[in-house]
Amino acid sequence: MKRIIAVAAGLTLAAGLVFAGGAQDSKQKMIGLAMPETHVERWQKDGAALKADAEAKGYIAEVTYGDADQAKQNQQIQDMLTKGAKLLVIGSVNEGVISAVADAARDKVLVIAYDRLITNSADYDYYITFDNYKVGQFQGKALETALNLAAATKDKPKYITLFAGAPTDNNAKVFFDGAIDVLRPYVEKGALVLVGPAPLKSGDADFTKITTENWRADIAKARMENLLNNDAKNYVLDGVLAPNDTLARAIIEACSTDAKYAGGKLPVVTGQDGEAASIAAIRDGKQYMTVFKDTRKLAAATIDLADALLNAKTPSIAGARLDTASYNTGKKVVKAYLLEPVIVTKENYKAVMIDSGYYKESDIK
Ligand code: BGC
């Protein structure tokens, strides 16, 4: 009897130790969250949601913002490594991040590329993002519908101009390819005229002419003003392919001061991210559409992935499609988890952006 009690007590003690040890371990593990910038609104939401989700799972979490400066972000990553982070979630500024990713790999710290693929690195295995090609397709299809390209002809074509994101962000190429693949057939039959530089895929030499360094609104605005006074001077533009909301509003601002587009006759302008100011512009008929990528869902899926990897479990990420073949960094094919983007127009912005709790009605000014 004594023996049984002693064994039982021993087992209880052991179980207690294992439990306490387990709980303590997961509490002590740190996840570093390196976001690229704050001048595009979404990243602050990404950072906040990632931190909250990681902490809810018992991790220590630290979030940093790189101010679109890769040297600064690399320093932030080094600091996280010094503090003993076990996993890094990196939304990189540009490819210069790979030295920091190599340092993480050397320290056996896991890296998840967040939203933006880290190219030219073999030092990580996981990428999580939205279906970015589909984002571009939504933008292309929005122009196709709004301009009724099916009815346009060589004699009565529609006119648009093209903008893309940062040349150093792999996503910018994917968005553009998604959009231009929808538009290309109309360009080829003359029903759609591209005013200004006219790349027909992201690999074309002219692609760099439509890109916008670090996704900066002031650069897009200046380029649009320049187009309006030069290449687009003798056209009334029917549309502008804008890659995200920050740039869409800068482009709309430039058009608003041009006499041809005064009095509400703005071109159809696309967007992405569902920024509050763009939802207001969509409501007011200034911006035509945006593509919503719910940062709450991306953050939750990322922390689920991080948690599985840190506990050596096979990840099973709800709401994400696993693609193990298509995402090549140039050095290795990584496992990519893709979430679904949602197209937003005047018709559904309330349901998608407000009823879902992403914004309060009062956020949309
Ligand atoms: C993201 C977009 C964002 C852009 C500028 C891209 O990599 O996917 O959501 O608008 O960067 O920050």
Side-chain angles (χ1 to χ4, degrees):
M1 187 64 176
K2 248 193 197 148
R3 217 184 101 106
I4 293 175
I5 291 171
V7 169
L11 279 177
T12 312
L13 188 65
L17 281 177
V18 167
F19 181 73
Q24 233 172 20
D25 270 348
S26 84
K27 272 219 177 67
Q28 285 173 338
K29 278 185 193 159
M30 174 181 164
I31 298 183
L33 308 161
M35 299 292 105
E37 64 206 26
T38 52
H39 71 273
V40 173
E41 189 177 286
R42 65 162 288 187
W43 299 108
Q44 302 187 42
K45 287 187 175 280
D46 288 271
L50 284 163
K51 188 168 190 295
D53 290 343
E55 287 173 351
K57 280 204 175 353
Y59 293 98
I60 295 171
E62 184 174 314
V63 55
T64 58
Y65 298 93
D67 293 336
D69 175 346
Q70 193 60 60
K72 181 168 184 175
Q73 188 182 54
N74 284 1
Q75 188 53 57
Q76 293 170 332
I77 293 172
Q78 293 300 343
D79 289 349
M80 290 172 180
L81 291 175
T82 307
K83 287 181 185 163
K86 294 280 177 279
L87 183 143
L88 300 171
V89 173
I90 305 180
S92 56
V93 177
N94 61 47
E95 202 177 276
V97 75
I98 64 175
S99 58
V101 176
D103 289 345
R106 183 207 53 214
D107 292 356
K108 306 234 174 333
V109 172
L110 297 164
V111 169
I112 299 174
Y114 183 80
D115 194 80
R116 300 174 172 173
L117 184 71
I118 296 171
T119 49
N120 214 13
S121 170
D123 289 322
Y124 72 102
D125 295 297
Y126 292 91
Y127 174 40
I128 188 159
T129 190
F130 284 85
D131 184 335
N132 291 318
Y133 183 78
K134 198 178 254 183
V135 170
Q137 280 182 313
F138 281 161
Q139 295 169 339
K141 282 182 189 162
L143 286 166
E144 184 184 41
T145 310
L147 306 186
N148 194 10
L149 291 181
T153 60
K154 208 177 161 93
D155 297 332
K156 228 179 161 328
K158 298 289 181 181
Y159 298 93
I160 66 165
T161 194
L162 304 174
F163 279 72
T168 47
D169 179 351
N170 185 66
N171 283 347
K173 300 180 185 128
V174 183
F175 300 144
F176 180 72
D177 284 329
I180 204 72
D181 284 354
V182 175
L183 301 174
R184 190 184 306 104
Y186 298 104
V187 177
E188 283 168 351
K189 69 176 190 204
L192 181 64
V193 176
L194 302 177
V195 178
L200 287 177
K201 53 182 179 330
S202 65
D204 286 356
D206 268 0
F207 179 70
T208 52
K209 296 190 185 147
I210 67 160
T211 56
T212 313
E213 198 195 326
N214 278 336
W215 296 90
R216 270 173 46 198
D218 57 331
I219 295 182
K221 186 169 178 221
R223 182 168 167 253
M224 188 69 214
E225 283 166 354
N226 197 297
L227 277 161
L228 292 171
N229 291 321
N230 293 285
D231 289 344
K233 198 175 171 62
N234 300 318
Y235 297 96
V236 176
L237 291 172
D238 298 293
V240 180
L241 175 69
N244 79 350
D245 288 348
T246 306
L247 305 190
R249 292 195 308 279
I251 289 162
I252 291 167
E253 230 179 279
C255 291
S256 307
T257 54
D258 184 297
K260 280 198 298 237
Y261 306 99
K265 282 186 290 180
L266 286 163
V268 168
V269 181
T270 60
Q272 163 177 206
D273 289 336
E275 290 189 356
S278 281
I279 298 301
I282 290 172
R283 175 200 59 202
D284 299 343
K286 290 185 179 153
Q287 185 176 323
Y288 180 70
M289 60 84 80
T290 186
V291 182
F292 180 46
K293 302 189 300 184
D294 194 331
T295 49
R296 296 169 303 187
K297 291 190 178 155
L298 186 60
T302 303
I303 298 303
D304 282 349
L305 176 60
D307 191 44
L309 298 177
L310 285 170
N311 290 294
K313 292 201 183 111
T314 308
S316 136
I317 310 301
R321 173 165 62 85
L322 174 61
D323 181 329
T324 54
S326 321
Y327 289 82
N328 194 332
T329 70
K331 292 259 167 93
K332 139 189 236 183
V333 175
V334 290
K335 296 188 183 75
Y337 289 91
L338 306 177
L339 279 76
E340 283 296 308
V342 178
I343 188 163
V344 178
T345 61
K346 207 170 182 159
E347 273 64 58
N348 68 348
Y349 81 89
K350 273 200 179 127
V352 179
M353 306 299 307
I354 297 168
D355 299 350
S356 73
Y358 199 74
Y359 291 125
K360 294 194 287 293
E361 191 100 49
S362 58
D363 293 331
I364 313 303
K365 300 205 174 77

